[in-house]
Amino acid sequence: MSRYVSGRFGQALLVLWAAFTVSFILLQVLPGDAILIKFQNPDMGLSPAQIADMRAAYGADVPVWQQYLHTLGNFLRGDLGYSIQAGVPVTELLSSNFPPTLRLALIGFALAAVVAFALAFLSSLLHFGWLKNALQAVPSLFISIPTFWLGIALIQFFSFHLRWIPVINPGEWVGLILPIITLAVPISAPLAQILIRSIDQVQTQPFVAVARAKGASRSGVLWRHVARNALLPALTIAGLLFGELIAGALITETVFGLNGLGQLTQQAVNNQDVAVLQAIVVISAAAFVGINLLVDLLYPLLDPRLKASASKNSRGATA
């Protein structure tokens, strides 16, 4: 089992290194220079020599491979660099902008899970064929709706038409209602599809027929026997979807004008603030990798067959 855990940790570190390397290369080939954008402004009155000194201070005058090693070493020590445009450490910007994004993502994921489970289990319990088919068609509708379009449509309907939720200066939690719905609806769709398909497959297994033959009710069999086995495939897709929530939260924050990583990313792109963009990419990759690593480690605990398989492979490799 220890070999299984160490292997998963090794894969996670490899993915993080690859994300850092690819993002560094892509950001380096972007046209323009953030230092020149800021310090060549005539209002600042800096001479070419002073601008050259600023480039040297930020380490932009050395070869790219040296910049890569220097940046990688700083990231490993927890130093995410310095924002050229804001004039403060990147960690300071992230400490004030990451918590709102994380809160939005967590609440959005919780709502998406509730919607997905409701659709999946209701469609399995209903006896009316037409209503069951209608519920199973809802995820396909949800998954086809673009996040930005859904956000704009919700603002138009609930804020401008019904006037239930103000757009200007809403309360802290009132202002999160529409962004959370915008984030949760597209994410709930694939999770519901996997759950519906998994429940249908598990219900055909012999142990379900045995439980029904012993007199258990349909809902009792669903909750006590089917649910645990059906949750395993959904757990995998849930880990992947939570990683996508970070990207979805960035779009949602931009649509609703919320403070968070979305606004910070937009500003960094406009100003070509490479250090900020690099940190956001790595943090997003770390969130994605961390959630999926947690899912990988939980999987053998939920399915004893996988735990036995991992132990067997570990003993075989040792032998």
Side-chain angles (χ1 to χ4, degrees), residues 291-302:
I291 292 298
N292 285 277
L293 176 62
L294 180 62
V295 170
D296 287 340
L297 297 180
L298 287 177
Y299 228 83
L301 300 178
L302 297 176

Side-chain angles (χ1 to χ4, degrees), residues 19-49:
F20 172 86
T21 303
V22 172
S23 63
F24 179 86
I25 294 173
L26 293 177
L27 290 173
Q28 288 297 320
V29 300
L30 287 176
D33 190 317
I35 298 177
L36 296 181
I37 291 174
K38 180 174 181 178
F39 295 107
Q40 273 190 338
N41 189 336
D43 295 336
M44 301 192 69
L46 297 179
S47 66

Side-chain angles (χ1 to χ4, degrees), residues 4 22 42 62 66 71 99 140 181 201 205 212 247 251 277 289 291 296 299:
Y4 172 82
V22 172
V62 299
Q66 291 184 11
T71 306
S140 300
I181 296 174
Q201 291 176 351
Q205 299 299 315
R212 292 296 301 275
I251 298 174
L277 291 174
V289 170
I291 292 298
D296 287 340
Y299 228 83

Side-chain angles (χ1 to χ4, degrees), residues 191-214:
L191 185 58
Q193 289 177 329
I194 294 296
L195 274 173
I196 291 172
R197 188 178 301 112
S198 183
I199 289 174
D200 289 341
Q201 291 176 351
V202 173
Q203 285 182 332
T204 61
Q205 299 299 315
F207 70 87
V208 175
V210 172
R212 292 296 301 275
K214 291 181 178 180

Side-chain angles (χ1 to χ4, degrees), residues 55-73:
R55 289 181 58 82
Y58 281 101
D61 61 335
V62 299
V64 175
W65 66 270
Q66 291 184 11
Q67 295 182 38
Y68 172 80
L69 294 178
H70 178 72
T71 306
L72 179 60

